[in-house]
Amino acid sequence: MTTVIEETRFSVLDRSRTRESHPAPEALRDTVALAQDLERLGYHRVWVSEHHGVPGVAGSAPTVLAAAVAAATRSIRVGTGGVMLPNHQPLVVAEQFGVLESLFPGRIDMGLGRSVGFTDGVRRALGRDKDVADDFAGQLDELLAYFTGSDGASPTRVHARPTEGLTVAPFVLAMGEGASIAARAGLPMVIGDFRGRERMLRGIDWYRAEFRPSAWADEPYVVISGTVAVAGSEPEARRLLVPEAWSMAHSRTHGTFPPLPPAERVAGLDMTAKERELYESGLRGHIVGTEQQVADELETVIKESGAQEVLVTTSTYDREGLLESFRRLARIARLTPA
């Protein structure tokens, strides 16, 4: 008899986080190498992210990085978590994914978000205003129409090549209004994170209640996302969370998002009261512990959410520790090695 965990797909989003004393190009190569390991372990898909002008993140061109990942793997699905559609013209995004699907047929996912550049300077460099995200639903409709070849896709009646007629799996990253937009468009939805469990569950309920079947999906499909860390002991697992928790606390108090430091260095830092509060908050609410502890917590959240898939978003300085966590998670989910 299979458990609810074994019936659930498991995937990974790697943000290409930079690390202290490691150059940014190494972070991109680490993402490609991790994808190869995840494929061998039996994970369903691997996604990459989009960040502009962020010192701690090397992944600024997700479709380019997705191409490198797909070229280095054979069977795992590859996609974006996500391309921030308000940053781009829908035609260009359609063309990029059309090229990816043409090169790697049947393996490409198109995860789409509605965020725009994080700072005024980045938005100016992108040529975007903050309110451009308000038309995300319209941008999404235009993008999808390029795949179906609808004449109304753009005011100029341009047809996207080689995109038209291809099928690329679209997902909406549900932040803010994302759940209702995904539901109205009839698209699969990615929602997180585990630290805001009640809010996440309300978003899922709203999505299912409002979902309209479409050419892209007959029924709701929910992917829940968040940090999962598994190790031989709970303290070992929690140690993996330390670099990201400190980096986030630093960004909230200093306005910059730094490379991930080793956990040992964080332990010796003098923190202000505000930094300590944010740091400790960043360590709470994740799914973390031994294999049994993580299995119990995953079973609970999967049952509560009814999710079909879990997208793990863990980042840490210790890449070997991260890979070991994914190995242990693969055992918990009884993934089939490639």
Side-chain angles (χ1 to χ4, degrees):
M1 181 177 178
T2 59
T3 66
V4 66
I5 296 176
E6 292 171 59
E7 295 172 344
T8 304
R9 290 170 168 167
F10 281 81
S11 302
V12 172
L13 166 65
D14 191 74
R15 293 191 174 90
S16 304
R17 290 287 275 113
T18 61
R19 299 179 292 154
E20 287 186 358
S21 302
H22 295 265
E26 185 178 337
L28 298 173
R29 294 191 291 269
D30 285 344
T31 293
V32 175
L34 178 63
Q36 293 172 318
D37 290 324
L38 294 171
E39 180 174 68
R40 285 190 286 268
L41 290 170
Y43 283 84
H44 183 61
R45 65 180 102 240
V46 59
W47 280 5
V48 297
S49 63
E50 175 183 341
H51 296 274
H52 298 286
V54 179
V57 184
S60 56
T63 53
V64 177
L65 184 53
V69 169
T73 54
R74 294 176 298 145
S75 58
I76 194 169
R77 296 193 65 88
V78 178
T80 56
V83 164
M84 296 301 141
L85 191 52
N87 288 339
H88 311 282
Q89 292 295 339
L91 172 63
V92 175
V93 176
E95 290 172 337
Q96 290 173 345
F97 279 96
V99 170
L100 282 170
E101 177 62 22
S102 299
L103 294 172
F104 310 102
R107 293 178 57 202
I108 300 301
D109 300 323
M110 185 169 59
L112 304 163
R114 66 187 298 270
S115 296
V116 71
F118 294 135
T119 67
D120 289 340
V122 169
R123 288 191 289 271
R124 286 196 300 271
L126 291 170
R128 293 292 186 268
D129 294 323
K130 199 169 187 177
D131 59 2
V132 71
D134 295 341
D135 191 34
F136 177 67
Q139 296 161 349
L140 182 62
D141 288 342
E142 180 180 343
L143 171 62
L144 297 178
Y146 283 121
F147 287 87
T148 60
S150 301
D151 283 337
S154 77
T156 59
R157 297 187 180 274
V158 170
H159 290 250
R161 313 293 185 197
T163 306
E164 191 170 306
L166 298 179
T167 300
V168 175
F171 294 76
V172 170
L173 277 59
M175 294 180 290
E177 297 180 24
S180 59
I181 291 172
R184 289 196 297 268
L187 299 180
M189 177 185 71
V190 183
I191 189 168
D193 65 16
F194 302 139
R195 290 179 297 175
R197 190 76 55 88
E198 291 185 7
R199 181 182 178 187
M200 182 181 76
L201 295 176
R202 287 197 302 270
I204 292 171
D205 289 343
W206 175 263
Y207 166 71
R208 289 201 175 104
E210 299 296 317
F211 184 86
R212 302 174 185 173
S214 71
W216 304 95
D218 294 330
E219 56 189 24
Y221 187 91
V222 174
V223 183
I224 53 174
S225 67
T227 295
V228 179
V230 199
S233 68
E234 186 174 351
E236 286 180 80
R238 292 197 176 279
R239 183 174 173 274
L240 292 174
L241 307 183
V242 166
E244 182 73 16
W246 163 246
S247 188
M248 290 296 294
H250 187 278
S251 72
R252 296 278 298 278
T253 52
H254 293 77
T256 61
F257 202 79
L260 297 175
E264 310 83 64
R265 193 173 80 74
V266 176
L269 291 174
D270 289 327
M271 302 185 197
T272 66
K274 184 62 174 178
E275 286 172 338
R276 176 67 63 180
E277 177 188 352
L278 291 168
Y279 167 68
E280 291 180 352
S281 174
L283 293 172
R284 293 193 293 266
H286 306 289
I287 296 180
V288 56
T290 64
E291 290 181 34
Q292 187 59 59
Q293 288 173 316
V294 168
D296 291 344
E297 187 64 23
L298 278 173
E299 184 169 6
T300 297
V301 71
I302 292 170
K303 285 181 177 178
E304 288 178 348
S305 65
Q308 290 96 330
E309 187 170 342
V310 175
L311 180 70
V312 181
T313 62
T314 311
S315 296
T316 190
Y317 180 91
D318 181 1
R319 297 295 293 190
E320 181 51 44
L322 180 64
L323 180 56
E324 177 61 19
S325 178
F326 286 132
R327 289 192 190 104
R328 290 177 180 272
L329 181 57
R331 283 203 294 269
I332 293 169
R334 297 191 181 180
L335 303 183
T336 303

